[in-house]
Amino acid sequence: MTHSLVGLVLGELVERALPAPSTPAQGRTRRRALLLTGLLASNFPDLDLVLTPLLPAPLGYLIHHRGHTHTLLYALPQVALLLALTWLLWPAARRLLNEDRAARRAVIGTAVLGMVLHLSFDALNVYGVHPFHPVDSRWIYGDLVFIVEPVFWTALGIGLALAAHNRAWRWFGLAFFAAMPVVFTWLGFLQWGSLAGLALLGLAVGAARARLGARGALAAALLACAGFVGVQAVAGSAARSEIRAALAQVAPGSRVLDIPLSSFPANPLCWSFATVSTGPGADSYAVRVGVLSLAPGITPVSACPVRFGGEPGNPAPALAWKYLENGSLAAIRALQRTNCHVDAWLRFARVPSLVDGVATDLRFGAPDQPNFSTLPYAARALAPCPAPLAGWGYPRADLLGWK
């Protein structure tokens, strides 16, 4: 939903920045073309889901989703395809693009920016992207916002609803995006403090609409999203510092390689995290999972929503360790060399867990909680090697001894 809302806001803002159309009919076509272009461009990269059957599960999803279509290079043919489909399948839009130079530039610009915004928003979370492939195939992780972030939905959704021309759509949108946080809170996904913050955010966007008009509301929604990302960046930096200090106490002499972070939705205070470290033994590494509260006096880890890793009843107020797995560097390197399924999986895994012949990325769940990253590698040891594989960088090249 985030990508759709971003695309629609983009199309609406571009439309409102253009000169008035020469005729009402041309104006309707132009607005619809910009909204549809923004919507489709902001979702086109996820068409790579059709490629997931190329490999057996879970590798098809892990290797091909957020794959080639999520790179700047392959954004160009996607823009061309989107514009070609518009030209071929929509006669009114074809006439508009042929006759109106400003509209033509606006539609092309919206398509390009929509693709870039998709990659940018995907880069904000713990899942990651590799937008610079094939020049640089390493994964980039923002570790800033939850992968499904209600702050974006509330700000952009209410901004769009207030900009709607149709009264029925306006009230439907306002009711939907106002009710959604309430439902999520009732289901246990959000704290009451998060609900209050989202309510204030919606009121702020509404105030911007009253004072500055529809364009002001949309601009305020975008500024709120950017401000939230900034807050998360500061909070994430503080979280990493506290986690490093805690790790130094429980594992003195270890070297920290990575600290993946995932904030709780609409909550800069609660963070799920993992750590990847080597030592203190020469051949050892460890992966850990925990939950952190940056304000234990207000929200201890026991009060963080349990659905995203909170620890009800845990006596530790600020940081709770939930899982530890020790491994051998020699063993994981040998497994990567001898098992092609593990080799393929390691092109995605950032926090690798290897227990009883099953691999799981601890970013998405413990070994006893199978998820979309879980691979029964021992059972597939004699199966044909997966192909075709993309040449993504190995997130744990450090554990494999390559850097």
Side-chain angles (χ1 to χ4, degrees):
M1 181 181 291
T2 298
H3 292 309
S4 297
L5 291 173
V6 169
L8 291 171
V9 168
L10 172 63
E12 189 69 51
L13 282 173
V14 172
E15 162 62 24
R16 292 175 181 274
L18 292 175
S22 57
T23 66
Q26 186 184 64
R28 287 191 296 271
T29 299
R30 188 179 73 182
R31 183 170 183 270
R32 291 169 183 167
L34 287 168
L35 289 174
L36 185 61
T37 299
L39 175 66
L40 293 179
S42 290
N43 284 282
F44 245 51
D46 282 339
L47 290 176
D48 58 11
L49 290 171
V50 304
L51 301 177
T52 57
L54 293 176
L55 297 175
L59 295 176
Y61 186 87
L62 303 183
I63 298 298
H64 290 303
H65 180 49
R66 295 207 183 179
H68 291 92
T69 58
H70 285 71
T71 65
L72 293 173
L73 176 63
Y74 286 92
L76 299 177
Q78 292 179 85
V79 169
L81 175 60
L82 174 56
L83 295 176
L85 290 174
T86 301
W87 183 272
L88 292 172
L89 302 178
W90 192 352
R94 181 167 63 244
R95 287 193 298 271
L96 173 70
L97 298 178
N98 191 46
E99 299 170 359
D100 190 330
R101 184 179 182 183
R104 183 165 61 249
R105 288 180 173 179
V107 168
I108 294 172
T110 299
V112 172
L113 191 53
M115 298 281 180
V116 172
L117 285 172
H118 183 110
L119 272 59
S120 300
F121 272 79
D122 276 355
L124 293 175
N125 55 57
V126 73
Y127 194 108
V129 290
H130 26 68
F132 305 114
H133 176 82
V135 176
D136 184 349
S137 298
R138 290 176 296 179
W139 288 85
I140 295 174
Y141 309 99
D143 290 355
L144 294 176
V145 301
F146 191 67
I147 197 166
V148 181
E149 182 49 67
V151 168
F152 296 156
W153 294 3
T154 300
L156 300 175
I158 289 180
L160 272 174
L162 293 172
H165 291 179
N166 183 282
R167 180 184 293 269
W169 279 112
R170 184 183 310 143
W171 284 108
F172 173 80
L174 288 173
F176 179 81
F177 288 106
M180 189 179 296
V182 177
V183 173
F184 287 166
T185 303
W186 178 68
L187 292 174
F189 293 119
L190 298 175
Q191 289 181 311
W192 288 103
S194 298
L195 177 61
L198 292 172
L200 290 174
L201 174 59
L203 291 173
V205 174
R209 171 67 172 86
R211 293 178 61 87
L212 304 172
R215 187 190 300 184
L218 293 172
L222 290 176
L223 287 174
C225 292
F228 177 70
V229 172
V231 169
Q232 294 295 96
V234 173
S237 178
R240 276 200 170 87
S241 296
E242 294 197 16
I243 294 164
R244 282 184 182 275
L247 185 61
Q249 292 182 351
V250 299
S254 63
R255 183 169 72 94
V256 180
L257 301 179
D258 196 8
I259 304 178
L261 292 173
S262 181
S263 73
F264 283 47
N267 190 338
L269 302 181
C270 292
W271 294 79
S272 293
F273 68 88
T275 66
V276 183
S277 60
T278 56
D283 182 51
S284 65
Y285 74 91
V287 290
R288 291 174 168 84
V289 175
V291 61
L292 168 75
S293 171
L294 287 174
I298 301 174
T299 302
V301 294
S302 60
C304 295
V306 65
R307 290 181 177 269
F308 299 109
E311 288 282 281
N314 195 303
L319 189 149
W321 297 103
K322 300 169 60 177
Y323 178 78
L324 165 64
E325 180 179 326
N326 292 300
S328 161
L329 292 173
I332 192 174
R333 292 168 185 175
L335 192 58
Q336 180 269 328
R337 290 193 303 269
T338 59
N339 189 311
C340 57
H341 300 275
V342 173
D343 175 69
W345 182 79
L346 285 170
R347 298 169 189 258
F348 171 83
R350 187 179 177 190
V351 190
S353 167
L354 304 168
V355 177
D356 297 331
V358 177
T360 294
D361 192 325
L362 294 179
R363 287 178 293 173
F364 309 109
D368 61 349
Q369 300 171 342
N371 57 72
F372 69 90
S373 74
T374 301
L375 171 73
Y377 66 85
R380 296 189 188 177
L382 300 179
C385 290
L389 290 177
W392 314 138
Y394 292 75
R396 292 277 65 89
D398 41 20
L399 291 184
L400 298 174
W402 299 339
K403 68 176 183 179

